């Protein structure tokens, strides 16, 4: 009940922000809204964001039915993101209860009910590849944990759903690949023998169905316009390559606290980069505690 109240508070807070169109929109979200309008009118069925070849349009397809019913507006475009946030809270609570404890799960829900500007912006704005992939990976982890502990009885449908979610997440945003890899390793560890049979076939089929729009578009794309070529072009544009020291500073010291809402949108000051500095240490400590707990259980 405490977790439910905290979750409702977080959803209610974001509902108010959605109705007020806070945070403000930008050109990327406008492009997703235009695609949703085209889908609702039956004028187009885009696979990737207009002008790109790698950002999936799942969020536009989720908003298209609402736009068809009520017409285009910012709150209508963002309502599916609010639903995905609520699903995210529910799934993270379920996962934390399974692997930790009920009160720790409640604490996590309360923490995620909060939302500084950068966090809320990623949760509510329709800019592709954020709210939907988080919920998808959490459900994949729950499936793998359930299969490993025996609480999920229907192996083949669960594995097929796992593959479908992985394909949809990959189509939506390629940045989710590291998380998909971890979830896949967990599934492999949980049901490695069963994957040699029909369960493995369903996993592949589910993934192919989820990623079908991306796969088909890349097959028919003109030379140099497939997703891999576009990514290589982005990564090899003219200009000096920054040294690894600058990459680590930007990705860890700047990126981590900025993504967690500890800095203003313009960037972090020297005193605000402390969380980025201790974050790798926290990961090592968490891994050590996990290994100790696993050895004790085993």
């Amino acid at each position: 009940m405490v977790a439910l109240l905290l979750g409702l508070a977080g959803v209610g807070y974001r509902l108010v922000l959605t109705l007020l169109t806070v945070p403000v929109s930008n050109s990327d979200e406008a492009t997703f809204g235009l695609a949703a309008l085209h889908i609702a009118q039956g004028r187009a069925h885009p696979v990737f964001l207009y002008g790109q070849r790698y950002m999936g349009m799942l969020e536009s397809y989720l908003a298209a039915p609402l736009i068809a019913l009520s017409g285009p507006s910012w709150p209508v475009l963002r309502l599916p993101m609010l639903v995905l946030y609520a699903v995210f809270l529910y799934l993270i609570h379920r996962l934390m209860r399974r692997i930790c404890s009920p009160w720790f799960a409640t604490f996590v829900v309360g923490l995620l009910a909060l939302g500084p500007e950068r966090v809320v912006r990623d949760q509510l704005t329709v800019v592709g590849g954020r709210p939907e992939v988080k919920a998808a990976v959490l459900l994949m982890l729950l499936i793998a944990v359930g299969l490993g502990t025996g609480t999920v009885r229907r192996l083949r449908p669960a594995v097929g759903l796992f593959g479908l979610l992985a394909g949809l997440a990959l189509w939506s945003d390629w940045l989710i690949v590291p998380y998909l890899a971890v979830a896949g390793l967990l599934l492999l560890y949980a049901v490695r023998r069963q994957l040699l049979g029909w369960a493995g076939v369903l996993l592949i089929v589910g993934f192919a169905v989820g990623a079908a729009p991306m796969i088909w578009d890349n097959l028919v794309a003109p030379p140099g316009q497939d997703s891999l070529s576009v990514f290589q072009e982005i990564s090899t544009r003219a200009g000096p390559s920054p040294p690894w020291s600058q990459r680590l500073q930007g990705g860890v010291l700047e990126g981590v606290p900025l993504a967690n809402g500890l800095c203003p949108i313009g960037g972090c000051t020297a005193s605000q980069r402390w969380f980025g500095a201790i974050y790798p240490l926290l990961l090592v400590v968490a891994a050590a505690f996990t290994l100790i707990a696993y050895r004790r259980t085993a």
Side-chain angles (χ1 to χ4, degrees):
M1 290 300 297
V2 174
L4 177 62
L5 292 175
L6 292 173
L8 289 175
V11 173
Y13 166 55
R14 285 159 179 79
L15 176 60
V16 173
L17 295 179
T18 298
L19 296 177
L20 296 176
T21 318
V22 176
V24 296
S25 185
N26 54 34
S27 58
D28 286 341
E29 190 173 27
T31 306
F32 274 93
L34 182 64
L37 180 62
H38 291 168
I39 296 168
Q41 295 173 343
R43 295 167 54 188
H45 297 87
V47 175
F48 296 113
L49 183 64
Y50 296 148
Q52 297 181 356
R53 304 292 302 191
Y54 57 88
M55 181 67 71
M57 301 298 289
L58 182 59
E59 295 178 4
S60 293
Y61 282 95
L62 292 176
L66 297 178
I67 291 178
L69 289 174
S70 61
S73 68
W74 293 120
V76 170
L77 181 64
R78 292 181 177 182
L79 277 178
M81 303 303 100
L82 181 64
V83 175
L84 287 171
Y85 167 75
V87 173
F88 168 76
L89 280 186
Y90 172 74
L91 292 175
I92 195 68
H93 181 262
R94 289 288 303 274
L95 182 62
M96 291 298 100
R97 279 182 64 98
R98 294 295 304 275
I99 65 176
C100 295
S101 67
W103 277 112
F104 185 76
T106 302
F107 167 76
V108 170
V109 172
L111 182 64
L112 295 177
L114 303 173
E117 192 273 346
R118 181 67 199 187
V119 174
V120 171
R121 177 182 296 275
D122 287 347
Q123 291 171 343
L124 294 184
T125 53
V126 184
V127 292
R130 289 170 183 171
E132 69 273 23
V133 296
K134 294 174 184 176
V137 170
L138 280 176
L139 185 52
M140 291 166 62
L141 291 173
L142 273 170
I143 291 172
V145 171
L147 290 172
T149 56
T151 56
V152 175
R153 304 295 183 184
R154 314 194 74 162
L155 172 68
R156 293 177 182 176
V159 172
L161 177 60
F162 186 101
L164 178 65
L165 292 170
L168 287 172
L170 185 62
W171 167 43
S172 184
D173 192 347
W174 283 34
L175 291 177
I176 202 64
V177 168
Y179 299 90
L180 295 180
V182 172
L185 288 175
L186 180 60
L187 180 71
L188 180 63
Y189 179 79
V191 290
R192 50 192 177 277
R193 295 180 180 177
Q194 293 87 334
L195 290 179
L196 296 176
W198 280 107
V201 175
L202 290 176
L203 177 67
I204 297 173
V205 171
F207 177 82
V209 171
M214 178 187 69
I215 295 173
W216 174 253
D217 188 87
N218 278 273
L219 289 175
V220 300
Q225 293 299 311
D226 58 282
S227 299
L228 284 175
S229 299
V230 172
F231 268 125
Q232 291 176 355
E233 180 184 354
I234 294 174
S235 302
T236 58
R237 284 179 178 171
S241 179
W244 277 103
S245 59
Q246 291 186 8
R247 298 187 185 190
L248 290 174
Q249 179 179 354
V252 179
L253 298 181
E254 188 86 14
V256 171
L258 184 64
N260 285 275
L262 301 178
C263 307
I265 195 65
C268 301
T269 63
S271 61
Q272 293 172 329
R273 294 172 180 162
W274 61 270
F275 187 68
I278 69 170
Y279 188 70
L281 177 61
L282 292 175
L283 290 177
V284 173
V285 172
F289 276 120
T290 302
L291 181 61
I292 292 172
Y294 172 77
R295 294 189 64 179
R296 288 178 178 176
T297 303

